[in-house]
Amino acid sequence: MKINAFKFWVTALAVFVIAEYGQADVSHARSLEEIRQTKEIRICIAYPYEPFVKLESPEDCREDCKFSGIFYEESIEFAKSLGDGIQPKFLRVDWDEQFFNKEGKTVIEDSYTPELLASGLCDVYPNNLTKTDWREKKMDIVTLHPSRMMVIVHKSRKKEFKTPADLAGKTVLVEKDTSYQTWMEEQNRTVYAGNPVKIEFMLETPARKAVNAGRDAFLLTDADVAIWGTRNDIKDSVVVFPVGPTEEIGWGFRKNDKDLQAAAQKFFDAQRGNPESVLNTIWKNYFGRSLTEFIALMLSIK
């Protein structure tokens, strides 16, 4: 999720795009036809934390980053599915930068194409974007899998969290412009109006570490993150219960790029339908269960 030091790139976006890709790319995003002609798909990866993204090169990289992790591996396979010789070009972006307008701001209530997509700097965000009303004013999200939000706390505080009602008055650590923030603010206007949850903004990795170290707060995260995290990097934390409705998680595209969205949908369908597919294998390696098995689990949670 995203390194605030990179925000200056957004205000200098036009200069960067011209220098990197040429004047033509400033005025329009790129179609699937152009991607195939240029043999390049531009993939913008956000929030470097395991298992989704591991940054192998220096912390301050922007363009020439060396990645590993689920998003990186899935993106490479998607690029292959688009045609022979198409190469992925990766750019590292901040989480909230995905939603910025030309002024470098996220305006929740407005409809616009985020500048990274509109400029042609990014063709796709493969970053597990949850479908929300405000995001769908700005882009289309092609669903990869369903999910649920999970509440995670330090194991010493498990008895304090028996039902969602126990969240009232407590502190949640969330990253800005995430679906977790959107859901929590809605609950504070309704369910917890009399004793709202205190929302503290914090990047994903520090938030996980803080809760795992015993911080007097809880964490909201998606089910796949919860499965991996409590088995690997936050072993002193536990999942206490799910909250919210079943959500749709996927990849973000410019609204006009229907052909590229159709290609992504075809890719996802083929991968989910084959037990031995690359995406199913990737998920099995990281989570101990395939993507198809994860989807079945999510649909079974009440």
Side-chain angles (χ1 to χ4, degrees):
M1 286 181 161
K2 318 77 164 166
I3 317 299
N4 290 332
F6 294 152
K7 297 286 178 65
F8 76 93
W9 282 96
V10 178
T11 59
L13 186 60
V15 174
F16 177 83
V17 175
I18 293 170
E20 183 67 12
Y21 299 113
Q23 179 66 41
D25 289 310
V26 177
S27 60
H28 69 279
R30 295 161 4 103
S31 66
L32 177 57
E33 180 181 0
E34 187 172 347
I35 288 169
R36 286 175 170 157
Q37 288 175 347
T38 60
K39 299 293 185 180
E40 177 181 279
I41 181 167
R42 298 169 186 171
I43 300 171
C44 288
I45 287 188
Y47 63 88
Y49 69 89
E50 295 184 76
F52 299 102
V53 182
K54 182 177 181 182
L55 185 64
E56 305 286 356
S57 56
E59 181 69 19
D60 60 351
C61 71
R62 173 72 170 184
E63 303 166 65
D64 299 321
C65 303
K66 303 298 182 184
F67 293 114
S68 61
I70 296 171
F71 295 163
Y72 177 72
E73 294 176 30
E74 290 177 337
S75 297
I76 289 176
E77 196 63 23
F78 177 55
K80 291 178 183 177
S81 76
L82 297 178
D84 292 340
I86 295 179
Q87 298 296 316
K89 181 177 180 65
F90 291 96
L91 183 72
R92 179 186 176 191
V93 301
D94 287 347
W95 175 261
D96 49 353
E97 190 180 354
Q98 296 178 100
F99 316 110
F100 283 176
N101 61 17
K102 288 184 178 181
E103 286 70 46
K105 297 178 180 179
T106 299
V107 184
I108 298 293
E109 62 273 16
D110 285 0
S111 296
Y112 58 85
T113 301
E115 185 63 12
L116 287 173
L117 295 173
S119 67
L121 191 59
C122 302
D123 297 319
V124 55
Y125 299 152
N127 299 317
N128 275 14
L129 292 165
T130 302
K131 284 188 178 181
T132 63
D133 290 342
W134 71 265
R135 286 177 182 166
E136 291 192 291
K137 292 179 179 179
K138 299 164 176 59
M139 67 184 75
D140 284 342
I141 298 174
V142 178
T143 301
L144 176 59
H145 62 80
S147 190
R148 290 289 300 277
M149 285 185 294
M150 302 290 172
V151 175
I152 295 180
V153 301
H154 189 269
K155 60 186 179 182
S156 65
R157 304 185 65 217
K158 183 178 180 180
K159 292 182 179 179
E160 300 176 43
F161 295 83
K162 295 180 180 178
T163 72
D166 296 326
L167 301 181
K170 294 185 171 65
T171 298
V172 63
L173 306 181
V174 298
E175 184 140 5
K176 196 175 187 323
D177 292 336
T178 57
S179 57
Y180 315 133
Q181 175 191 350
T182 302
W183 181 83
M184 198 73 262
E185 289 176 342
E186 176 61 26
Q187 301 311 298
N188 276 346
R189 288 191 291 268
T190 55
V191 179
Y192 305 123
N195 189 16
V197 173
K198 302 175 184 67
I199 299 175
E200 181 176 333
F201 293 122
M202 187 179 292
L203 296 177
E204 174 79 15
T205 296
R208 286 162 63 175
K209 290 180 178 179
V211 169
N212 197 58
R215 172 73 191 274
D216 184 15
F218 68 92
L219 183 70
L220 283 178
T221 194
D222 287 323
D224 47 1
V225 181
I227 290 171
W228 188 88
T230 53
R231 293 178 178 179
N232 292 275
D233 72 336
I234 51 171
K235 293 182 179 180
D236 289 328
S237 300
V238 294
V239 175
V240 286
F241 44 74
V243 292
T246 299
E247 300 171 319
E248 293 183 57
I249 309 292
W251 293 10
F253 298 86
R254 195 173 70 106
K255 281 186 172 293
N256 289 347
D257 292 336
K258 300 302 183 184
D259 51 355
L260 187 56
Q261 293 174 37
Q265 187 67 66
K266 180 179 179 181
F267 171 68
F268 292 163
D269 290 345
Q271 293 290 312
R272 289 187 297 244
N274 177 5
E276 305 303 320
S277 71
V278 175
L279 261 61
N280 269 323
T281 300
I282 290 170
W283 278 64
K284 189 81 170 180
N285 290 341
Y286 282 98
F287 298 117
R289 67 182 76 222
S290 69
L291 172 60
T292 303
E293 291 169 338
F294 176 82
I295 290 171
L297 174 63
M298 291 300 98
L299 295 176
S300 72
I301 296 175
K302 305 300 181 183

